[in-house]
Amino acid sequence: MRKLEIGDKVYNAKQNGFADFIRYSFSEVTELTKTLAVLKNGIKLFNEPRISYITEDVGYSVSRHNGLHWHLVSLEAIRKAQIENEKIAASDWFDDKKFSLEEKKFIYKQFKKLETSVL
């Protein structure tokens, strides 16, 4: 467990309830004070690593919001964010799309083909 340094990449993962998607935010440490690490997006973190059972084993608490943690970026975190962002994009697309009857029939046929190929 180490303190943050200028240039470190960090992320936060938020979720509003279990049914919501996980939303990832990424930033970079741009400034250090005696006790804080200031991120590019203006968020201030206590520059003291703490045990965090939220997303990673180690986290850095947000100043004045100890329950919120940011974590050092890893390849695994980037991949999880990519997968989650794809889910969000697909969900948003279906929420915004108004399907014509022809499109609905086409989608229906595709799902029927998929059902028969799985069996």
Side-chain angles (χ1 to χ4, degrees):
M1 294 198 308
R2 67 172 179 84
K3 290 188 173 197
L4 294 170
E5 301 169 358
I6 291 178
D8 280 345
K9 309 278 192 275
V10 292
Y11 77 97
N12 173 265
K14 273 197 282 190
Q15 187 175 19
N16 294 326
F18 292 112
D20 189 29
F21 295 107
I22 299 171
R23 301 182 191 276
Y24 287 81
S25 301
F26 291 87
S27 195
E28 180 178 342
V29 177
T30 58
E31 187 180 335
L32 296 173
T33 69
K34 197 173 197 178
T35 59
L36 299 175
V38 182
L39 304 182
K40 195 174 197 174
N41 61 9
I43 293 175
K44 297 175 183 171
L45 306 177
F46 287 113
N47 197 3
E48 194 61 47
R50 303 225 186 273
I51 293 173
S52 170
Y53 300 107
I54 298 168
T55 306
E56 303 277 347
D57 294 337
V58 176
Y60 301 86
S61 299
V62 175
S63 177
R64 301 177 194 231
H65 298 285
N66 285 340
L68 296 175
H69 292 103
W70 285 68
H71 312 277
L72 286 170
V73 170
S74 64
L75 288 176
E76 182 182 355
I78 292 169
R79 185 65 189 134
K80 285 180 180 179
Q82 290 171 335
I83 291 168
E84 201 67 17
N85 286 341
E86 188 175 1
K87 290 179 193 175
I88 292 168
S91 179
D92 289 349
W93 184 82
F94 273 98
D95 289 346
D96 295 340
K97 178 76 174 155
K98 303 292 183 232
F99 292 100
S100 68
L101 181 57
E102 288 301 313
E103 290 170 324
K104 288 178 183 179
K105 286 172 33 182
F106 176 79
I107 293 168
Y108 173 77
K109 287 177 184 177
Q110 296 303 313
F111 275 111
K112 288 309 240 180
K113 281 184 193 174
L114 185 62
E115 283 178 4
T116 57
S117 69
V118 172
L119 299 175

